[in-house]
Amino acid sequence: MITASLDMGSEKMVMALASVEGNACRLFGIKTIASQGIERGIINDLKKVRDCVHIFMSELIKDREVNVLNIVLPPESLRIFEHKVTVPIQKKSVNAMDLLLASQYCREELKEECEELIDMIPVAYSIDRGEFVIDPIGRVGRHLETTFQVYLARGEYLDDIFSLFDGYNIGDIYFFPTSKAYMEALDVGNAKDFALVDLGASGINVELFRDGMLEYETRLPLGIRTIDKDIMLAFAINTRQARKLKHEYGQALRSLCKYRKIQIPDTNLTIENRDLATVVQCRVEELLEGVVFLLQKWGFDNSDDEILLTGGGSRLQNLDLLLNHFSGHPVDKAIAKRIQVSKDDILSTPEYLVALGLLFCKHSIEEHPRDGFLKKAKTLFTKVFGV
């Protein structure tokens, strides 16, 4: 099956194309372009985004027939909350059918919501209102209580995204939250407990995974783009020059800088690299303090558990050392797993993680969002015209 994935970030858009069969994934290609028409994860200029999509379709997809396109929806475009359902255990002990029944119950109860259901991820189980358990299979009891993390989006917004692909040879289109893409990219079911910090341009996603499940997630509203503004003000330069300085010389630890002069892009002016590092480190420390506060609040206190970094901001030099100093946890890069690629560095490229994880994403009960739109439209048509 030919699967494509699309991650529409505030600074970059990434599309991947692969052959996916079960847990086997062979990457055909992946492409990144500068985002247009997107601000803080939300589409604000449909025409500009359509032009970006056209580049992907003409250069990456070309004449291929794509069976499935998976698209990630950032937290800014979603309403996220927890929802609990209780179902009777069909036999003496919990089996896979009970988990499936819990998913069906949750979907039914969410039908009254105004928005469209994007996904729901189980985050906790309990038997007969007892203590939370990680894996309920085989547990004896009468009732299974399941807590789902629910993700909803406005139907009109999804319609706009669907319209971007009119005229292209796409089979089915599905939407997923970033947390599902992370889970698939990092194969959390087979991983030790860890925290993931995605340092994006407009915000920072912080996720905690324990025993192969998502336990907590949140988004901090300030992102790495704030560093650009600090550099602009500090050295009286424009946005493009500030961003180039950050990308080429950004250093999160001033103490590790060796004295040297660096040139401001497109000028004959120079600054000291230590002065740049001072500006960068001050802002990065502020951002990381929020991350560490959350992890401590969530009880992420086993010093052997890793923090994995991803997102464009993770490219800042020595950011891992600074976060290790703040948190006391080992810090490493997030690397995508289970994907056959021609170059291994693709798997560790921060901007690619979400798009690569999306290639594996599937819903527990396949339900095309477009089907929901058609059903609602049909119901409305019947009410108005009586047919």
Side-chain angles (χ1 to χ4, degrees):
M1 181 172 68
I2 305 301
T3 300
S5 62
L6 179 61
D7 176 16
M8 297 185 288
S10 296
E11 285 194 348
K12 294 183 179 180
M13 295 176 65
V14 183
M15 178 172 275
L17 184 69
S19 170
V20 182
E21 299 295 338
N23 283 327
C25 177
R26 181 164 63 90
L27 188 69
F28 293 146
I30 190 164
K31 183 175 178 61
T32 304
I33 61 176
S35 291
Q36 298 290 328
I38 297 175
E39 184 62 36
R40 301 196 68 81
I42 302 294
I43 296 174
N44 59 17
D45 190 323
L46 206 59
K47 182 182 182 302
K48 289 183 178 180
V49 177
R50 185 174 286 112
D51 291 341
C52 292
V53 167
H54 179 71
I55 293 174
F56 284 130
M57 302 305 292
S58 59
E59 297 184 12
L60 182 63
I61 305 299
K62 296 180 181 177
D63 297 325
R64 292 182 187 271
E65 181 178 345
V66 176
N67 303 112
V68 173
L69 170 62
N70 291 335
I71 301 174
V72 75
L73 294 177
E76 293 93 341
S77 65
L78 298 169
R79 182 160 69 93
I80 306 171
F81 59 93
E82 289 188 353
H83 185 76
K84 293 181 181 180
V85 296
T86 302
V87 299
I89 297 172
Q90 302 301 300
K91 297 182 179 179
K92 290 183 179 180
S93 60
V94 179
N95 59 31
M97 290 303 298
D98 297 310
L99 303 186
L100 182 61
L101 184 61
S103 296
Q104 292 173 336
Y105 268 45
C106 188
R107 285 182 180 275
E108 286 296 320
E109 293 181 6
L110 293 171
K111 283 185 176 180
E112 300 302 318
E113 298 288 344
C114 298
E115 302 100 327
E116 296 291 331
L117 176 62
I118 297 302
D119 205 355
M120 51 189 201
I121 300 175
V123 295
Y125 300 102
S126 69
I127 308 298
D128 295 333
R129 299 186 179 277
E131 294 182 354
F132 289 122
V133 297
I134 299 301
D135 184 3
I137 298 294
R139 301 257 181 175
V140 177
R142 299 180 62 186
H143 293 90
L144 169 68
E145 183 179 76
T146 306
T147 303
F148 290 94
Q149 186 89 319
V150 176
Y151 305 84
L152 303 178
R154 292 184 299 106
E156 298 83 358
Y157 188 69
L158 300 183
D159 278 335
D160 285 342
I161 299 178
F162 274 126
S163 72
L164 296 172
F165 300 92
D166 289 343
Y168 297 112
N169 192 20
I170 302 292
D172 292 313
I173 298 176
Y174 296 97
F175 299 101
F176 295 92
T178 52
S179 53
K180 178 64 78 67
Y182 296 144
M183 294 174 72
E184 295 296 341
L186 302 172
D187 194 17
V188 298
N190 296 309
K192 296 180 180 178
D193 297 353
F194 68 94
L196 179 71
V197 179
D198 185 342
L199 296 149
S202 59
I204 299 176
N205 290 344
V206 187
E207 318 260 334
L208 181 56
F209 298 95
R210 282 197 175 108
D211 298 300
M213 295 181 68
L214 172 67
E215 183 164 340
Y216 295 105
E217 70 169 318
T218 195
R219 182 171 177 83
L220 300 175
L222 291 180
I224 296 300
R225 188 179 287 169
T226 55
I227 297 175
D228 301 348
K229 296 179 180 179
D230 293 341
I231 296 174
M232 287 171 55
L233 293 173
F235 303 109
I237 57 179
N238 62 39
T239 303
R240 183 173 53 80
Q241 292 169 326
R243 191 163 297 167
K244 280 187 175 182
L245 280 175
K246 182 186 72 176
H247 288 165
E248 294 182 26
Y249 306 107
Q251 169 68 263
L253 272 177
R254 182 183 184 279
S255 61
L256 296 182
C257 285
K258 294 182 179 179
Y259 173 79
R260 66 183 175 123
K261 294 281 189 178
I262 55 178
Q263 186 172 345
I264 297 175
D266 306 321
T267 73
N268 294 321
L269 304 175
T270 61
I271 60 174
E272 291 187 15
N273 65 329
R274 288 184 177 180
D275 291 339
L276 176 63
T278 299
V279 174
V280 173
Q281 183 173 345
C282 287
R283 178 62 69 178
V284 171
E285 285 184 356
E286 181 182 17
L287 297 175
L288 293 185
E289 281 178 2
V291 171
V292 173
F293 172 79
L294 283 172
L295 295 179
Q296 291 174 343
K297 178 183 175 182
W298 294 342
F300 187 65
D301 48 17
N302 185 340
S303 59
D304 292 331
D305 292 339
E306 277 190 319
I307 299 176
L308 300 181
L309 292 175
T310 191
S314 65
R315 291 182 177 275
L316 286 172
Q317 299 174 47
N318 297 315
L319 181 67
D320 55 340
L321 297 179
L322 184 60
L323 183 53
N324 170 258
H325 173 72
F326 275 6
S327 67
H329 290 268
V331 180
D332 205 349
K333 282 185 177 181
I335 299 177
K337 301 177 180 179
R338 300 180 293 158
I339 300 174
Q340 301 174 32
V341 293
S342 57
K343 297 180 180 179
D344 288 341
D345 60 348
I346 290 175
L347 302 179
S348 59
T349 300
E351 293 85 353
Y352 292 170
L353 185 72
V354 170
L356 293 175
L358 279 173
L359 294 171
F360 287 106
C361 285
K362 294 181 180 178
H363 290 290
S364 55
I365 303 176
E366 295 294 1
E367 181 177 308
H368 198 305
R370 186 168 8 190
D371 295 341
F373 302 151
L374 293 176
K375 289 176 184 176
K376 287 187 175 182
K378 184 176 179 180
T379 301
L380 181 62
F381 189 87
T382 301
K383 287 182 178 179
V384 174
F385 297 101
V387 296

